[in-house]
Amino acid sequence: MQLFPCPFCGDRDEREFHFAGEAGKVRPDTAGSEAEVSAKDWSEYLYTQRNDHGHVREIWMHLPCQEVFLLERHSVTMAVIGATSFRDVGTKEASA
Ligand SMILES: [Zn+2]
């Protein structure tokens, strides 16, 4: 069993969390009436994962409290580097 840090609840059993995707993916632009996204672009956005070895940034949800946060970990050693609530990420990006 591994402990993941929920920014709201603290360290909890990994089985309480749901993986929600890799961080930093850019959603295809669908704005405007002229925007058309190809099936290939949608497929890559929805299903293609980078699967990097080393330091990765992922989006996770703690199911009991519904907190969605950014988890940084090492994908080979499974060491958790840190967790940041998206509320805090928005604050940091707004002030940068
Ligand atoms: Zn929580």
Side-chain angles (χ1 to χ4, degrees):
M1 175 190 78
Q2 183 175 14
L3 294 177
F4 280 178
C6 170
F8 186 73
C9 305
D11 289 342
R12 294 289 193 270
D13 186 323
E14 65 181 307
R15 292 173 292 185
E16 294 183 7
F17 293 85
H18 175 73
F19 177 73
E22 63 185 34
K25 290 183 86 168
V26 178
R27 186 179 191 274
D29 184 12
T30 57
S33 60
E34 300 295 321
E36 185 169 320
V37 180
S38 71
K40 179 180 179 291
D41 289 345
W42 271 123
S43 176
E44 286 183 9
Y45 172 71
L46 294 171
Y47 303 113
T48 302
Q49 302 290 323
R50 293 173 49 101
N51 198 24
D52 290 332
H53 288 232
H55 183 228
V56 295
R57 300 171 74 231
E58 301 168 330
I59 301 166
W60 286 79
M61 174 185 277
H62 187 213
L63 297 174
C65 73
Q66 301 291 297
E67 179 80 2
V68 179
F69 60 98
L70 177 70
L71 178 72
E72 296 182 64
R73 66 182 181 91
H74 196 283
S75 63
V76 177
T77 66
M78 303 302 284
V80 173
I81 298 165
T84 308
S85 169
F86 274 114
R87 289 172 285 173
D88 295 337
V89 170
T91 303
K92 288 176 185 171
E93 289 178 355
S95 63

